[in-house]
Amino acid sequence: MNSSQQTLPEISKSRVVGAAPEGTADPASAARAVREMFTSIAPRYDLLNHVLSFNIDRLWWRRAARTFRSILNRPGARALDLCCGTGDMTFALRRAAGESSPRILGADFSYAMLQRAAQKAAGLSSASRGHEKSAAVPEWIEADALNLPFPDKHFDLVTSAFGFRNLADYDAGLREILRVLRPGGEFGILECNEPQGAVGAVYRLYFRHVLPRVGSLISGVRGPYAYLPASVERFPQPAEMMARMKIAGFAEATWTPYTLGIAGLYRGKS
Ligand SMILES: C[S@@+](CC[C@H](N)C(=O)[O-])C[C@H]1O[C@@H](n2cnc3c(N)ncnc32)[C@H](O)[C@@H]1O
């Protein structure tokens, strides 16, 4: 699928569409609930991610990051990984940059998640000391994706992996990404997707019944792993998402399915 298939008037332009964990009434309480949820699972987040995705998440981060290699290789490039959590997409960008040294920032509004990212970065750099040519390491910043502390037209690349779906207002998120992108800049949103047909039936069975049980068992908390399938169901399907990207002002909007469409990469150009 390469372009928006839905005409713009078909989707609501006024209704706020975004994450709404159970019991929240407005975008502000939704954002608070999302932050508390991720903070509560931060210590076990990586383990659960890999178990619940059968480690496919590693391939997705790598594939998405490689897509943007040419931008990362631009002299003086700046990249922002939004909703970076414990940093795996940020590290994938760093690896995809190879020998070049773009400035890479990981931003998240959960301090606990960022702390894990910083610990992992310290572990990686001490493990690679003496083996690799030194490259600029990612920097971490506590920031809200809907209100970024950066000037207009600042970044060549903005990415977000499995984070955008958690924003309390998707259209506001898209506008904020566009604001901080330089003309000719790109963004990539790697997100879960609910596929259609037989794959969708298996996916729903796993996501609604198996994943919440295993997630709650390992993490010791129920809420986040009941929220996860609900948030994927709530997230716009690709055609609607691309239409929203166009409305936000992106010149191009595409979606590339990954692994039978259970995830996919949205790309937009400013
Ligand atoms: C599912 S995790 C994804 C983490 C990481 N990108 C990955 O691929 O594993 C979602 C992250 O988005 C962050 N997040 C959600 N809403 C946010 C917002 N408005 N601003 C900044 N971070 C946000 C959460 O704190 C959480 O760390």
Side-chain angles (χ1 to χ4, degrees):
M1 202 177 307
N2 276 324
S3 63
S4 160
Q5 292 178 339
Q6 203 165 10
T7 56
L8 302 188
E10 277 177 55
I11 68 167
S12 159
K13 294 182 199 170
S14 53
R15 191 168 57 96
V16 172
V17 177
E22 219 179 291
T24 62
D26 51 50
S29 60
R32 252 194 324 274
V34 165
R35 184 166 52 217
E36 281 163 16
M37 204 184 302
F38 282 104
T39 297
S40 74
I41 59 169
R44 300 229 148 178
Y45 177 80
D46 285 334
L47 170 69
L48 277 156
N49 236 7
H50 302 320
V51 169
L52 295 172
S53 76
F54 306 102
N55 257 334
I56 304 176
D57 49 1
R58 293 181 199 275
L59 301 181
W60 291 337
W61 288 313
R62 196 184 318 153
R63 181 173 169 189
R66 283 181 180 168
T67 306
F68 300 110
R69 194 178 266 158
S70 65
I71 301 182
L72 293 165
N73 289 339
R74 283 181 194 164
R78 290 194 194 117
L80 172 68
D81 183 34
L82 276 183
C83 304
C84 68
T86 60
D88 285 307
M89 180 70 202
T90 328
F91 297 127
L93 291 174
R94 180 48 266 159
R95 279 189 286 271
E99 304 263 293
S100 48
S101 287
R103 186 160 182 210
I104 302 177
L105 269 85
D108 201 285
F109 70 0
S110 164
Y111 182 70
M113 294 290 271
L114 283 175
Q115 263 186 322
R116 311 288 299 182
Q119 280 162 5
K120 280 158 69 177
L124 289 176
S125 60
S126 59
S128 67
R129 206 167 289 143
H131 297 284
E132 277 174 21
K133 197 176 153 212
S134 75
V137 291
E139 299 160 65
W140 311 104
I141 179 164
E142 194 176 341
D144 185 343
L146 298 182
N147 188 17
L148 291 169
F150 303 109
D152 296 354
K153 305 184 172 93
H154 193 67
F155 292 99
D156 299 274
L157 173 67
V158 176
T159 58
S160 183
F162 311 111
F164 189 87
R165 191 186 67 247
N166 301 291
L167 300 188
D169 183 336
Y170 302 140
D171 297 328
L174 289 171
R175 288 193 298 271
E176 189 61 349
I177 290 171
L178 191 59
R179 181 185 71 76
V180 299
L181 271 180
R182 283 182 181 158
E186 283 200 38
F187 92 110
I189 297 178
L190 178 57
E191 259 310 338
C192 302
N193 177 60
E194 198 173 289
Q196 312 290 318
V199 180
V202 177
Y203 178 90
R204 278 187 290 282
L205 188 75
Y206 174 71
F207 239 63
R208 287 183 194 163
H209 301 288
V210 180
L211 183 146
R213 287 193 176 87
V214 179
S216 308
L217 199 74
I218 302 182
S219 68
V221 276
R222 201 196 78 82
Y225 291 93
Y227 161 78
L228 180 59
S231 70
V232 177
E233 263 172 54
R234 231 183 122 78
F235 194 63
Q237 284 282 309
E240 180 183 334
M241 187 58 193
M242 287 187 284
R244 287 187 180 278
M245 286 161 65
K246 288 286 190 74
I247 291 173
F250 284 96
E252 284 177 34
T254 63
W255 181 70
T256 305
Y258 284 9
T259 319
L260 304 173
I262 62 173
L265 180 70
Y266 292 96
R267 291 179 69 179
K269 282 196 180 160
S270 64

